[in-house]
């Protein structure tokens, strides 16, 4: 059995706990948290303090880091890679090279294995961009996200004065996707690819028109998009907008000889974004332990890892059952 | 530059020649054929006899074998793996373990690297089954093929007495695909997943009704499916049914916690099946050469190969551009 620890227990950590129950070769040995462990409501796992993790070297095969990319993972991953094999879902795109270098150094010095930036984007979408572009180098890759909840955009709405609560959905332009799949040449601007739908609960006495204007003109978040704003009650938000669906499409349209069109499409439709991301982390946790057993130490990403490492089946079984 | 040889020059070999022109780091050094070389109409490449290939050890980095799975590849791949790194698209599912074992032994003894059973199914579809099943172990994978030309079924039609020529399209049931994606529980029989559409040219004086009956009742090929037969002229067949489109979908519908549905879909829409298959072979030819340089000798399949090996970009570029 592969012994797994969860570091940090929010939606993602809970997703990892749930995913581990679906894998027969893995067991959860504990949740490690900065909070008082007795206040953490897990679904069965024991919770411990971060300090207690330090004494567990040799007892844990891999730690799945479930903190955030903004402030947790940049320090936590290098810190815990001193002692353990680790997986994280670091997704601040511009800082991935720096994060990789830092973790790689620690992991190599301490003979541990760390897989960073795992999940679906970065992660499975990155893989699909790589496969498609390598196979059809004359072509174009477009990524569409949604329909799904964007935490960053929802947070941006909630920071506006007069907004009590809000949820933002990123919605892909399916007409554009169909045109691309049909082989049409489309010049795409940011506005063409996605639109944004906001469900906003106002504070008492807030001015709806002013807030709508503040939203649709907000640079970087909404100004570059067509944005629809719906004002609803807190009760309606609580009832209809608490799920965390997401998904998206990586669409590669290439040509081989002359104008022979070839389309590769990879699409995810997720009823729970954190549970799916957690499921990807768990499969790569297995890969991480296998790499470490082969003494392949250092930092890796999904691009470096042979697909078979994700499976609990033998090479013979995989060839027989999947090829 | 990676020096590539093509062994066998039919539709697939021509596809490889075309694909190689799209890759800046690879060059085609020759086409090797059992025919008289001067009778082979390439698109620029020089043609040579198979005998001439034997003297080229050390001058060719990888041979792409473009013969058929029935009789060519079972002997050709082990034969050429004595001297060269090789790629093939061996797709007789039941014999893959045997083919793997034979090629693996030759390649290990002779310190060469061989990637077998490459293409899209087996190949990219196999990869996607593996990723999806590893990430969502509670779930179900269905593969749908088409709409596309099945050579095997077209051949079966042409063997019927009274049939002058024929093309068969495998057509997936898109209603079923949509139901599965919507999370419906569907009990699928063979008949539900695909239907078969036949375009048949009759010999003079042949009995259409009898031939229709012979087709729809043919076991293994058509009896288990709903089959539509259209009788057309040779001129119409030549004009409208000479292209070789194909494609298909690997659909994995899984659940994470309780009944939270997660759908992973991988879909190919190919205007030319042989050119796309050739493009996959070429990307894995690059991987083959890289594995051989690392002295990773023996037989491999797509399941064993880290995605980054398919690309001509550096690890740093891939992390920066794709993650």
């Amino acid at each position: 059995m592969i012994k797994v620890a969860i570091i940090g227990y929010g939606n993602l950590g809970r997703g990892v706990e749930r995913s581990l129950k679906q894998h027969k070769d893995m067991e959860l040995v504990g949740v490690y948290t900065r909070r008082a462990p007795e206040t953490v409501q897990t679904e069965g796992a024991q919770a411990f303090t971060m300090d207690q993790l330090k004494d567990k070297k040799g007892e844990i095969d891999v730690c799945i880091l479930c903190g955030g990319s903004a402030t947790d993972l940049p320090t936590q991953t290098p810190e815990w890679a001193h002692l353990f094999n680790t997986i994280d879902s670091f997704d601040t795109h511009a800082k991935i090279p720096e994060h990789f270098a830092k973790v790689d150094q620690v992991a190599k010095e301490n003979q541990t294995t760390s897989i960073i930036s795992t999940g679906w984007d970065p992660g499975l979408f990155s893989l699909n961009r790589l496969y498609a572009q390598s196979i059809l180098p004359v072509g174009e890759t477009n990524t569409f996200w949604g329909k799904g909840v964007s935490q960053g955009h929802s947070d941006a709405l909630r920071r506006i004065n007069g907004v009590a609560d809000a949820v933002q959905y990123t919605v892909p332009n399916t007409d554009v996707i169909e045109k691309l799949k049909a082989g049409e040449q489309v010049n795409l601007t940011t506005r063409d690819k996605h639109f944004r739908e906001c469900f906003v609960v106002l504070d008492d006495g807030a001015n709806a028109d002013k807030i709508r204007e503040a939203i649709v003109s907000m640079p970087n978040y909404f100004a570059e998009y067509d944005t629809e704003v719906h004002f609803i009650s807190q009760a309606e938000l609580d009832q209809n907008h608490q799920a965390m669906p997401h998904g998206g499409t990586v669409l590669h349209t290439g040509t081989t000889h002359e104008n022979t069109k070839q389309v590769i499409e990879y699409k995810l439709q997720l009823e729970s974004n954190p549970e799916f991301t957690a499921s990807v982390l768990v499969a790569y946790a297995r890969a991480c332990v296998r790499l470490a057993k082969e003494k392949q130490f250092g930092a890796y990403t999904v691009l470096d890892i042979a697909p078979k490492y994700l499976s609990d089946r033998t090479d013979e079984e995989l060839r027989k059952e999947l090829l």
Side-chain angles (χ1 to χ4, degrees), chain A residues 102-123:
Chain A
K102 211 179 342 174
V103 175
D104 190 47
Q105 194 188 340
V106 173
K108 282 190 175 135
E109 284 172 2
N110 295 278
Q111 303 213 320
T112 62
T113 303
S114 285
I115 306 178
I116 67 155
S117 301
T118 305
W120 58 275
D121 197 5

mmCIF file with all atom_site columns, all heavy atoms in Angstrom, chain A residues 102-123:
data_model
loop_
_atom_site.group_PDB
_atom_site.id
_atom_site.type_symbol
_atom_site.label_atom_id
_atom_site.label_alt_id
_atom_site.label_comp_id
_atom_site.label_asym_id
_atom_site.label_entity_id
_atom_site.label_seq_id
_atom_site.pdbx_PDB_ins_code
_atom_site.Cartn_x
_atom_site.Cartn_y
_atom_site.Cartn_z
_atom_site.occupancy
_atom_site.B_iso_or_equiv
_atom_site.pdbx_formal_charge
_atom_site.auth_seq_id
_atom_site.auth_comp_id
_atom_site.auth_asym_id
_atom_site.auth_atom_id
_atom_site.pdbx_PDB_model_num
ATOM 1   N N   . LYS A 1 102 ? 13.548  25.709 -7.899  1.00 0.00 ? 102 LYS A N   1
ATOM 2   C CA  . LYS A 1 102 ? 13.715  25.662 -6.446  1.00 0.00 ? 102 LYS A CA  1
ATOM 3   C C   . LYS A 1 102 ? 13.449  24.246 -5.922  1.00 0.00 ? 102 LYS A C   1
ATOM 4   O O   . LYS A 1 102 ? 14.229  23.685 -5.141  1.00 0.00 ? 102 LYS A O   1
ATOM 5   C CB  . LYS A 1 102 ? 12.745  26.677 -5.811  1.00 0.00 ? 102 LYS A CB  1
ATOM 6   C CG  . LYS A 1 102 ? 13.279  27.252 -4.536  1.00 0.00 ? 102 LYS A CG  1
ATOM 7   C CD  . LYS A 1 102 ? 12.419  28.292 -3.813  1.00 0.00 ? 102 LYS A CD  1
ATOM 8   C CE  . LYS A 1 102 ? 11.327  28.994 -4.556  1.00 0.00 ? 102 LYS A CE  1
ATOM 9   N NZ  . LYS A 1 102 ? 10.527  29.852 -3.618  1.00 0.00 ? 102 LYS A NZ  1
ATOM 10  N N   . VAL A 1 103 ? 12.335  23.662 -6.358  1.00 0.00 ? 103 VAL A N   1
ATOM 11  C CA  . VAL A 1 103 ? 11.957  22.324 -5.877  1.00 0.00 ? 103 VAL A CA  1
ATOM 12  C C   . VAL A 1 103 ? 12.953  21.275 -6.377  1.00 0.00 ? 103 VAL A C   1
ATOM 13  O O   . VAL A 1 103 ? 13.342  20.362 -5.639  1.00 0.00 ? 103 VAL A O   1
ATOM 14  C CB  . VAL A 1 103 ? 10.520  21.971 -6.331  1.00 0.00 ? 103 VAL A CB  1
ATOM 15  C CG1 . VAL A 1 103 ? 10.165  20.538 -5.928  1.00 0.00 ? 103 VAL A CG1 1
ATOM 16  C CG2 . VAL A 1 103 ? 9.516   22.960 -5.748  1.00 0.00 ? 103 VAL A CG2 1
ATOM 17  N N   . ASP A 1 104 ? 13.396  21.441 -7.623  1.00 0.00 ? 104 ASP A N   1
ATOM 18  C CA  . ASP A 1 104 ? 14.332  20.472 -8.216  1.00 0.00 ? 104 ASP A CA  1
ATOM 19  C C   . ASP A 1 104 ? 15.617  20.409 -7.395  1.00 0.00 ? 104 ASP A C   1
ATOM 20  O O   . ASP A 1 104 ? 16.142  19.325 -7.112  1.00 0.00 ? 104 ASP A O   1
ATOM 21  C CB  . ASP A 1 104 ? 14.637  20.896 -9.659  1.00 0.00 ? 104 ASP A CB  1
ATOM 22  C CG  . ASP A 1 104 ? 15.401  19.826 -10.435 1.00 0.00 ? 104 ASP A CG  1
ATOM 23  O OD1 . ASP A 1 104 ? 14.983  18.658 -10.371 1.00 0.00 ? 104 ASP A OD1 1
ATOM 24  O OD2 . ASP A 1 104 ? 16.405  20.162 -11.083 1.00 0.00 ? 104 ASP A OD2 1
ATOM 25  N N   . GLN A 1 105 ? 16.102  21.575 -6.984  1.00 0.00 ? 105 GLN A N   1
ATOM 26  C CA  . GLN A 1 105 ? 17.348  21.611 -6.212  1.00 0.00 ? 105 GLN A CA  1
ATOM 27  C C   . GLN A 1 105 ? 17.188  20.895 -4.863  1.00 0.00 ? 105 GLN A C   1
ATOM 28  O O   . GLN A 1 105 ? 17.997  20.033 -4.502  1.00 0.00 ? 105 GLN A O   1
ATOM 29  C CB  . GLN A 1 105 ? 17.764  23.067 -5.996  1.00 0.00 ? 105 GLN A CB  1
ATOM 30  C CG  . GLN A 1 105 ? 19.210  23.176 -5.501  1.00 0.00 ? 105 GLN A CG  1
ATOM 31  C CD  . GLN A 1 105 ? 19.581  24.583 -5.085  1.00 0.00 ? 105 GLN A CD  1
ATOM 32  O OE1 . GLN A 1 105 ? 18.928  25.545 -5.477  1.00 0.00 ? 105 GLN A OE1 1
ATOM 33  N NE2 . GLN A 1 105 ? 20.638  24.689 -4.277  1.00 0.00 ? 105 GLN A NE2 1
ATOM 34  N N   . VAL A 1 106 ? 16.116  21.244 -4.170  1.00 0.00 ? 106 VAL A N   1
ATOM 35  C CA  . VAL A 1 106 ? 15.878  20.616 -2.854  1.00 0.00 ? 106 VAL A CA  1
ATOM 36  C C   . VAL A 1 106 ? 15.710  19.109 -3.013  1.00 0.00 ? 106 VAL A C   1
ATOM 37  O O   . VAL A 1 106 ? 16.290  18.314 -2.256  1.00 0.00 ? 106 VAL A O   1
ATOM 38  C CB  . VAL A 1 106 ? 14.620  21.209 -2.188  1.00 0.00 ? 106 VAL A CB  1
ATOM 39  C CG1 . VAL A 1 106 ? 14.270  20.439 -0.922  1.00 0.00 ? 106 VAL A CG1 1
ATOM 40  C CG2 . VAL A 1 106 ? 14.804  22.681 -1.886  1.00 0.00 ? 106 VAL A CG2 1
ATOM 41  N N   . ALA A 1 107 ? 14.921  18.694 -4.014  1.00 0.00 ? 107 ALA A N   1
ATOM 42  C CA  . ALA A 1 107 ? 14.625  17.268 -4.165  1.00 0.00 ? 107 ALA A CA  1
ATOM 43  C C   . ALA A 1 107 ? 15.893  16.490 -4.531  1.00 0.00 ? 107 ALA A C   1
ATOM 44  O O   . ALA A 1 107 ? 16.132  15.403 -3.995  1.00 0.00 ? 107 ALA A O   1
ATOM 45  C CB  . ALA A 1 107 ? 13.539  17.072 -5.220  1.00 0.00 ? 107 ALA A CB  1
ATOM 46  N N   . LYS A 1 108 ? 16.703  17.045 -5.409  1.00 0.00 ? 108 LYS A N   1
ATOM 47  C CA  . LYS A 1 108 ? 17.940  16.338 -5.787  1.00 0.00 ? 108 LYS A CA  1
ATOM 48  C C   . LYS A 1 108 ? 18.887  16.238 -4.595  1.00 0.00 ? 108 LYS A C   1
ATOM 49  O O   . LYS A 1 108 ? 19.487  15.183 -4.361  1.00 0.00 ? 108 LYS A O   1
ATOM 50  C CB  . LYS A 1 108 ? 18.612  17.034 -6.965  1.00 0.00 ? 108 LYS A CB  1
ATOM 51  C CG  . LYS A 1 108 ? 17.906  16.683 -8.283  1.00 0.00 ? 108 LYS A CG  1
ATOM 52  C CD  . LYS A 1 108 ? 18.671  17.139 -9.498  1.00 0.00 ? 108 LYS A CD  1
ATOM 53  C CE  . LYS A 1 108 ? 17.972  16.640 -10.773 1.00 0.00 ? 108 LYS A CE  1
ATOM 54  N NZ  . LYS A 1 108 ? 17.874  17.679 -11.794 1.00 0.00 ? 108 LYS A NZ  1
ATOM 55  N N   . GLU A 1 109 ? 19.016  17.329 -3.827  1.00 0.00 ? 109 GLU A N   1
ATOM 56  C CA  . GLU A 1 109 ? 19.918  17.308 -2.666  1.00 0.00 ? 109 GLU A CA  1
ATOM 57  C C   . GLU A 1 109 ? 19.469  16.294 -1.629  1.00 0.00 ? 109 GLU A C   1
ATOM 58  O O   . GLU A 1 109 ? 20.273  15.714 -0.915  1.00 0.00 ? 109 GLU A O   1
ATOM 59  C CB  . GLU A 1 109 ? 19.984  18.696 -2.018  1.00 0.00 ? 109 GLU A CB  1
ATOM 60  C CG  . GLU A 1 109 ? 20.831  19.681 -2.815  1.00 0.00 ? 109 GLU A CG  1
ATOM 61  C CD  . GLU A 1 109 ? 20.727  21.114 -2.275  1.00 0.00 ? 109 GLU A CD  1
ATOM 62  O OE1 . GLU A 1 109 ? 20.023  21.326 -1.254  1.00 0.00 ? 109 GLU A OE1 1
ATOM 63  O OE2 . GLU A 1 109 ? 21.324  22.003 -2.895  1.00 0.00 ? 109 GLU A OE2 1
ATOM 64  N N   . ASN A 1 110 ? 18.160  16.101 -1.534  1.00 0.00 ? 110 ASN A N   1
ATOM 65  C CA  . ASN A 1 110 ? 17.633  15.244 -0.465  1.00 0.00 ? 110 ASN A CA  1
ATOM 66  C C   . ASN A 1 110 ? 17.122  13.891 -0.967  1.00 0.00 ? 110 ASN A C   1
ATOM 67  O O   . ASN A 1 110 ? 16.492  13.164 -0.214  1.00 0.00 ? 110 ASN A O   1
ATOM 68  C CB  . ASN A 1 110 ? 16.528  15.986 0.286   1.00 0.00 ? 110 ASN A CB  1
ATOM 69  C CG  . ASN A 1 110 ? 17.071  17.206 1.003   1.00 0.00 ? 110 ASN A CG  1
ATOM 70  O OD1 . ASN A 1 110 ? 17.618  17.076 2.109   1.00 0.00 ? 110 ASN A OD1 1
ATOM 71  N ND2 . ASN A 1 110 ? 16.969  18.372 0.399   1.00 0.00 ? 110 ASN A ND2 1
ATOM 72  N N   . GLN A 1 111 ? 17.369  13.612 -2.254  1.00 0.00 ? 111 GLN A N   1
ATOM 73  C CA  . GLN A 1 111 ? 16.960  12.337 -2.845  1.00 0.00 ? 111 GLN A CA  1
ATOM 74  C C   . GLN A 1 111 ? 15.476  12.056 -2.642  1.00 0.00 ? 111 GLN A C   1
ATOM 75  O O   . GLN A 1 111 ? 15.056  10.993 -2.172  1.00 0.00 ? 111 GLN A O   1
ATOM 76  C CB  . GLN A 1 111 ? 17.803  11.196 -2.268  1.00 0.00 ? 111 GLN A CB  1
ATOM 77  C CG  . GLN A 1 111 ? 19.305  11.441 -2.497  1.00 0.00 ? 111 GLN A CG  1
ATOM 78  C CD  . GLN A 1 111 ? 20.064  10.159 -2.710  1.00 0.00 ? 111 GLN A CD  1
ATOM 79  O OE1 . GLN A 1 111 ? 19.806  9.168  -2.044  1.00 0.00 ? 111 GLN A OE1 1
ATOM 80  N NE2 . GLN A 1 111 ? 20.976  10.156 -3.654  1.00 0.00 ? 111 GLN A NE2 1
ATOM 81  N N   . THR A 1 112 ? 14.690  13.060 -2.989  1.00 0.00 ? 112 THR A N   1
ATOM 82  C CA  . THR A 1 112 ? 13.233  12.894 -3.023  1.00 0.00 ? 112 THR A CA  1
ATOM 83  C C   . THR A 1 112 ? 12.752  13.204 -4.439  1.00 0.00 ? 112 THR A C   1
ATOM 84  O O   . THR A 1 112 ? 13.515  13.704 -5.269  1.00 0.00 ? 112 THR A O   1
ATOM 85  C CB  . THR A 1 112 ? 12.519  13.843 -2.034  1.00 0.00 ? 112 THR A CB  1
ATOM 86  O OG1 . THR A 1 112 ? 12.807  15.200 -2.415  1.00 0.00 ? 112 THR A OG1 1
ATOM 87  C CG2 . THR A 1 112 ? 12.982  13.593 -0.604  1.00 0.00 ? 112 THR A CG2 1
ATOM 88  N N   . THR A 1 113 ? 11.480  12.902 -4.699  1.00 0.00 ? 113 THR A N   1
ATOM 89  C CA  . THR A 1 113 ? 10.881  13.137 -6.013  1.00 0.00 ? 113 THR A CA  1
ATOM 90  C C   . THR A 1 113 ? 9.665   14.042 -5.834  1.00 0.00 ? 113 THR A C   1
ATOM 91  O O   . THR A 1 113 ? 8.834   13.793 -4.962  1.00 0.00 ? 113 THR A O   1
ATOM 92  C CB  . THR A 1 113 ? 10.453  11.798 -6.641  1.00 0.00 ? 113 THR A CB  1
ATOM 93  O OG1 . THR A 1 113 ? 11.598  10.941 -6.703  1.00 0.00 ? 113 THR A OG1 1
ATOM 94  C CG2 . THR A 1 113 ? 9.884   11.998 -8.033  1.00 0.00 ? 113 THR A CG2 1
ATOM 95  N N   . SER A 1 114 ? 9.585   15.088 -6.648  1.00 0.00 ? 114 SER A N   1
ATOM 96  C CA  . SER A 1 114 ? 8.462   16.031 -6.554  1.00 0.00 ? 114 SER A CA  1
ATOM 97  C C   . SER A 1 114 ? 7.864   16.252 -7.928  1.00 0.00 ? 114 SER A C   1
ATOM 98  O O   . SER A 1 114 ? 8.585   16.571 -8.885  1.00 0.00 ? 114 SER A O   1
ATOM 99  C CB  . SER A 1 114 ? 8.947   17.385 -6.028  1.00 0.00 ? 114 SER A CB  1
ATOM 100 O OG  . SER A 1 114 ? 9.204   17.327 -4.649  1.00 0.00 ? 114 SER A OG  1
ATOM 101 N N   . ILE A 1 115 ? 6.564   16.097 -8.028  1.00 0.00 ? 115 ILE A N   1
ATOM 102 C CA  . ILE A 1 115 ? 5.883   16.444 -9.274  1.00 0.00 ? 115 ILE A CA  1
ATOM 103 C C   . ILE A 1 115 ? 5.102   17.724 -9.021  1.00 0.00 ? 115 ILE A C   1
ATOM 104 O O   . ILE A 1 115 ? 4.266   17.776 -8.106  1.00 0.00 ? 115 ILE A O   1
ATOM 105 C CB  . ILE A 1 115 ? 4.950   15.307 -9.743  1.00 0.00 ? 115 ILE A CB  1
ATOM 106 C CG1 . ILE A 1 115 ? 5.735   13.991 -9.845  1.00 0.00 ? 115 ILE A CG1 1
ATOM 107 C CG2 . ILE A 1 115 ? 4.329   15.663 -11.088 1.00 0.00 ? 115 ILE A CG2 1
ATOM 108 C CD1 . ILE A 1 115 ? 4.895   12.794 -10.250 1.00 0.00 ? 115 ILE A CD1 1
ATOM 109 N N   . ILE A 1 116 ? 5.415   18.752 -9.809  1.00 0.00 ? 116 ILE A N   1
ATOM 110 C CA  . ILE A 1 116 ? 4.765   20.049 -9.596  1.00 0.00 ? 116 ILE A CA  1
ATOM 111 C C   . ILE A 1 116 ? 3.751   20.340 -10.703 1.00 0.00 ? 116 ILE A C   1
ATOM 112 O O   . ILE A 1 116 ? 3.768   19.721 -11.754 1.00 0.00 ? 116 ILE A O   1
ATOM 113 C CB  . ILE A 1 116 ? 5.795   21.210 -9.534  1.00 0.00 ? 116 ILE A CB  1
ATOM 114 C CG1 . ILE A 1 116 ? 6.465   21.417 -10.903 1.00 0.00 ? 116 ILE A CG1 1
ATOM 115 C CG2 . ILE A 1 116 ? 6.849   20.972 -8.455  1.00 0.00 ? 116 ILE A CG2 1
ATOM 116 C CD1 . ILE A 1 116 ? 6.988   22.825 -11.112 1.00 0.00 ? 116 ILE A CD1 1
ATOM 117 N N   . SER A 1 117 ? 2.855   21.289 -10.403 1.00 0.00 ? 117 SER A N   1
ATOM 118 C CA  . SER A 1 117 ? 1.931   21.850 -11.406 1.00 0.00 ? 117 SER A CA  1
ATOM 119 C C   . SER A 1 117 ? 1.040   20.792 -12.049 1.00 0.00 ? 117 SER A C   1
ATOM 120 O O   . SER A 1 117 ? 0.818   20.789 -13.258 1.00 0.00 ? 117 SER A O   1
ATOM 121 C CB  . SER A 1 117 ? 2.717   22.627 -12.471 1.00 0.00 ? 117 SER A CB  1
ATOM 122 O OG  . SER A 1 117 ? 3.446   23.672 -11.852 1.00 0.00 ? 117 SER A OG  1
ATOM 123 N N   . THR A 1 118 ? 0.537   19.891 -11.210 1.00 0.00 ? 118 THR A N   1
ATOM 124 C CA  . THR A 1 118 ? -0.339  18.822 -11.661 1.00 0.00 ? 118 THR A CA  1
ATOM 125 C C   . THR A 1 118 ? -1.796  19.266 -11.515 1.00 0.00 ? 118 THR A C   1
ATOM 126 O O   . THR A 1 118 ? -2.109  20.102 -10.680 1.00 0.00 ? 118 THR A O   1
ATOM 127 C CB  . THR A 1 118 ? -0.054  17.566 -10.806 1.00 0.00 ? 118 THR A CB  1
ATOM 128 O OG1 . THR A 1 118 ? 1.336   17.291 -10.894 1.00 0.00 ? 118 THR A OG1 1
ATOM 129 C CG2 . THR A 1 118 ? -0.814  16.374 -11.274 1.00 0.00 ? 118 THR A CG2 1
ATOM 130 N N   . GLY A 1 119 ? -2.663  18.697 -12.312 1.00 0.00 ? 119 GLY A N   1
ATOM 131 C CA  . GLY A 1 119 ? -4.084  19.068 -12.288 1.00 0.00 ? 119 GLY A CA  1
ATOM 132 C C   . GLY A 1 119 ? -4.573  18.989 -13.721 1.00 0.00 ? 119 GLY A C   1
ATOM 133 O O   . GLY A 1 119 ? -4.057  18.197 -14.504 1.00 0.00 ? 119 GLY A O   1
ATOM 134 N N   . TRP A 1 120 ? -5.541  19.825 -14.090 1.00 0.00 ? 120 TRP A N   1
ATOM 135 C CA  . TRP A 1 120 ? -5.967  19.755 -15.496 1.00 0.00 ? 120 TRP A CA  1
ATOM 136 C C   . TRP A 1 120 ? -5.484  20.917 -16.340 1.00 0.00 ? 120 TRP A C   1
ATOM 137 O O   . TRP A 1 120 ? -5.246  20.741 -17.530 1.00 0.00 ? 120 TRP A O   1
ATOM 138 C CB  . TRP A 1 120 ? -7.455  19.454 -15.632 1.00 0.00 ? 120 TRP A CB  1
ATOM 139 C CG  . TRP A 1 120 ? -8.437  20.376 -14.989 1.00 0.00 ? 120 TRP A CG  1
ATOM 140 C CD1 . TRP A 1 120 ? -8.866  20.344 -13.686 1.00 0.00 ? 120 TRP A CD1 1
ATOM 141 C CD2 . TRP A 1 120 ? -9.148  21.450 -15.618 1.00 0.00 ? 120 TRP A CD2 1
ATOM 142 N NE1 . TRP A 1 120 ? -9.785  21.344 -13.473 1.00 0.00 ? 120 TRP A NE1 1
ATOM 143 C CE2 . TRP A 1 120 ? -9.990  22.023 -14.633 1.00 0.00 ? 120 TRP A CE2 1
ATOM 144 C CE3 . TRP A 1 120 ? -9.160  21.967 -16.907 1.00 0.00 ? 120 TRP A CE3 1
ATOM 145 C CZ2 . TRP A 1 120 ? -10.826 23.105 -14.916 1.00 0.00 ? 120 TRP A CZ2 1
ATOM 146 C CZ3 . TRP A 1 120 ? -10.000 23.040 -17.189 1.00 0.00 ? 120 TRP A CZ3 1
ATOM 147 C CH2 . TRP A 1 120 ? -10.821 23.604 -16.194 1.00 0.00 ? 120 TRP A CH2 1
ATOM 148 N N   . ASP A 1 121 ? -5.279  22.093 -15.772 1.00 0.00 ? 121 ASP A N   1
ATOM 149 C CA  . ASP A 1 121 ? -4.618  23.154 -16.523 1.00 0.00 ? 121 ASP A CA  1
ATOM 150 C C   . ASP A 1 121 ? -3.965  24.111 -15.553 1.00 0.00 ? 121 ASP A C   1
ATOM 151 O O   . ASP A 1 121 ? -4.653  24.964 -14.989 1.00 0.00 ? 121 ASP A O   1
ATOM 152 C CB  . ASP A 1 121 ? -5.598  23.898 -17.432 1.00 0.00 ? 121 ASP A CB  1
ATOM 153 C CG  . ASP A 1 121 ? -4.846  24.701 -18.498 1.00 0.00 ? 121 ASP A CG  1
ATOM 154 O OD1 . ASP A 1 121 ? -3.615  24.583 -18.570 1.00 0.00 ? 121 ASP A OD1 1
ATOM 155 O OD2 . ASP A 1 121 ? -5.508  25.428 -19.265 1.00 0.00 ? 121 ASP A OD2 1
ATOM 156 N N   . PRO A 1 122 ? -2.657  24.023 -15.341 1.00 0.00 ? 122 PRO A N   1
ATOM 157 C CA  . PRO A 1 122 ? -1.702  23.131 -16.007 1.00 0.00 ? 122 PRO A CA  1
ATOM 158 C C   . PRO A 1 122 ? -1.920  21.666 -15.617 1.00 0.00 ? 122 PRO A C   1
ATOM 159 O O   . PRO A 1 122 ? -2.422  21.394 -14.544 1.00 0.00 ? 122 PRO A O   1
ATOM 160 C CB  . PRO A 1 122 ? -0.337  23.625 -15.507 1.00 0.00 ? 122 PRO A CB  1
ATOM 161 C CG  . PRO A 1 122 ? -0.629  24.254 -14.178 1.00 0.00 ? 122 PRO A CG  1
ATOM 162 C CD  . PRO A 1 122 ? -1.992  24.877 -14.340 1.00 0.00 ? 122 PRO A CD  1
ATOM 163 N N   . GLY A 1 123 ? -1.545  20.773 -16.509 1.00 0.00 ? 123 GLY A N   1
ATOM 164 C CA  . GLY A 1 123 ? -1.690  19.342 -16.246 1.00 0.00 ? 123 GLY A CA  1
ATOM 165 C C   . GLY A 1 123 ? -2.161  18.639 -17.497 1.00 0.00 ? 123 GLY A C   1
ATOM 166 O O   . GLY A 1 123 ? -1.485  18.648 -18.509 1.00 0.00 ? 123 GLY A O   1
#
